[in-house]
Amino acid sequence: MLSLSDVEDARERVETVARRTPLEYSHTYSDMTGADVHLKLENFQRTGSFKIRGAMNRIATLSAEEKAAGVVTASAGNHAQGVALAATRAGVDSKIVMPEHAPITKVKATERYGGDVILYGADYDEAQNKAHEIEDEENRTYVHAFDDEYVMAGQGTIGLEIVEDCPELETVIVPIGGGGLISGISTAVKALHPEARVIGVQAEHASSVADSLNKGSIQELDEVDTIADGIAVRRMGDRTFDVIRERVDEVVTVSDEEIAVALTYLLERSKTLVEGAGAVALAALIFDKFDYDEDETIVPALCGGNIDMNTLTTVVMRGLVETGRYLKIRTELKDRPGSLENLIQIIADKKANIYAVRHDRTSRKIALNATEVEIDLEMRGPDHVDELLAALRAEGYEVAVLD
C-alpha cells in the first residue's frame, strides 16, 4: 500500500514543475463556522488544479522505452491538462481522451499544453474505455487519473505542504472523485500527524465512494450528475479503495445547491475562483456535514479552479438564489390597465430591485381575461425574500417561487 516514503520520493520529481500553493487563514469562514479555518489554495496550481502533481510523478518514472511510445489518459479536464503539460515537459507524446461534453476551456487548455485531444463518450468512464483501446493499439502507457500509486503519491505532496504550513492541523477536508487525491493526502497526513482527521467529500449524485464504504465493497454507479464535473466518477479505484478504507475517517456528501453556495461565497467574500469540485470541501464545512469543535483547526482543500464561464454563470446564479440574493416569481394579474403597475409598486415599496419582467397573455394555463407575469428580482437575503412574498400574498396575489 502507498507509504509516506512514496510521497516523499514524489516531492523531488513534482517540484520541478508544480508550485507550492498557499495555505491562507480565512477570517470569513472562521467567523461563519466557529472553527479555525485555513484554505489550501490548490486552485492556484499550474494548470489550475492539483492534477499536475500526480501526472508529473508518473511520467517522471517511465522507462526510456515507455517515454518513446508515448502516454494516453482519460480525463474530464484537470488530469488532462496535468498529463499534457507533464508529458510535454518530459518530451513525451500524449493523447488525451475527454468526454464529449467536457468544458471547452479545459479542452482548449489541454491542447495548449501539448496534448492531442480526442473527444469521446458521455462521461469519464466511457472516455476511459476509449483510452484503454488506444493504449492497446499503440502500446502507450496509460496514466490513470487516480488508481495508480505514483499518481496518488504525487497528489500526496499536498498533504506534506499542509502539515508543514499548518502544524496545528486537526482536520483536513478533501474532495473525492476516484480517490487519488485523498489517498495521497491521507497517507501523508496520517503518517506525519496521526491524530488529525481526514474527511472526504463527494457530490450527492456522484457518491460512489460513500456507497462503497457503506457496503464494504466497490460499487459502481449507473450514472453521475453534478456541477462538480471534476469529481463526477462512477467507480472509485481498487487501490484507492484500500487506502481510503484504512486512512480516511469519514466520507460525506454535498448537494449541487450547497456546492453553488460555497462557490459563490468564495468568489464574493474571498475573491477566489474555484470550480465545482474545488468548492465541495468548503461546502461540507459551512453546511455542517460533519461534527467539529469550536476553534478546531480545519483545512479545506480547494482542489481546482478550472471552470467554464457558461457554467460559472449558471452556478453563481444558483448560488444567489439559494442565499436569497436572487428571486424568480410568477403570478397572475387581471388583464386591465394598472394591474402590472400595482404589482410593481408593492415590489418597489419593499425595496426589491427588478431585473427582468416577462408578461404573457397567451398562456393556456390562465383565464382569457388574465395575464401571467414572471419577474426576476435582486434581493438582500432570505429575510428580504420572506418579507416581499408575505406582502404580495397579503394583497391577494398567488405567488409561485421559481427555481
Side-chain angles (χ1 to χ4, degrees), residues 7 33 90 115 127 163 167 185 227 242 245 266 355 360 376 387 401:
V7 179
T33 63
V163 172
I185 289 178
I227 60 173
D242 292 336
R245 186 164 50 176
L266 284 163
Y355 186 82
D360 184 9
D376 296 359
E387 181 184 349
V401 176

Side-chain angles (χ1 to χ4, degrees), residues 261-388:
V261 170
L263 191 154
T264 303
Y265 280 163
L266 284 163
L267 266 178
E268 185 174 45
R269 303 187 184 188
S270 304
K271 310 302 181 281
T272 298
L273 176 65
V274 299
E275 59 192 277
V280 298
L282 182 62
L285 176 61
I286 63 179
F287 286 101
D288 296 322
K289 297 296 181 174
F290 60 94
D291 294 329
Y292 56 88
D293 296 328
E294 186 81 10
D295 296 324
E296 183 173 333
T297 301
I298 301 177
V299 176
L302 310 186
C303 65
N306 296 319
I307 187 167
D308 179 79
M309 289 298 102
N310 291 325
T311 302
L312 177 62
T313 300
T314 302
V315 172
V316 169
M317 186 60 69
R318 177 60 65 89
L320 292 174
V321 168
E322 292 295 325
T323 55
R325 300 281 300 282
Y326 200 88
L327 177 67
K328 296 182 178 183
I329 61 173
R330 179 193 295 133
T331 190
E332 290 183 22
L333 306 176
K334 292 296 184 181
D335 189 14
R336 60 190 179 209
S339 294
L340 181 59
E341 181 182 2
N342 293 337
L343 174 65
I344 289 175
Q345 187 59 55
I346 296 171
I347 293 171
D349 290 343
K350 292 302 178 182
K351 302 295 189 294
N353 188 39
I354 295 176
Y355 186 82
V357 177
R358 290 172 291 280
H359 192 266
D360 184 9
R361 291 183 176 89
T362 63
S363 174
R364 294 182 178 180
K365 300 176 183 178
I366 59 175
L368 290 175
N369 64 343
T371 183
E372 185 177 76
V373 177
E374 291 184 5
I375 303 179
D376 296 359
L377 300 159
E378 293 178 292
M379 307 297 291
R380 296 195 300 271
D383 292 342
H384 192 204
V385 170
D386 291 342
E387 181 184 349
L388 175 62

Side-chain angles (χ1 to χ4, degrees), residues 136-192:
D136 294 338
E137 292 168 0
E138 301 182 14
N139 198 32
R140 291 174 178 264
T141 297
Y142 183 81
V143 181
H144 203 288
F146 49 84
D147 205 26
D148 179 295
E149 290 202 352
Y150 287 112
V151 171
M152 293 153 63
Q155 323 302 25
T157 58
I158 298 172
L160 300 179
E161 294 174 13
I162 289 173
V163 172
E164 291 166 357
D165 293 343
C166 187
E168 67 276 24
L169 173 72
E170 293 176 271
T171 298
V172 59
I173 316 171
V174 186
I176 308 179
L181 176 63
I182 198 168
S183 293
I185 289 178
S186 63
T187 295
V189 168
K190 289 293 187 178
L192 297 172

Side-chain angles (χ1 to χ4, degrees), residues 76-113:
N78 289 334
H79 181 62
Q81 294 173 66
V83 170
L85 177 58
T88 298
R89 283 299 190 92
V92 175
D93 183 70
S94 62
K95 285 191 174 181
I96 319 291
V97 186
M98 303 177 72
E100 292 175 356
H101 301 295
I104 189 64
T105 52
K106 294 183 179 182
V107 174
K108 294 299 183 185
T110 302
E111 292 173 337
R112 285 196 299 271
Y113 289 129

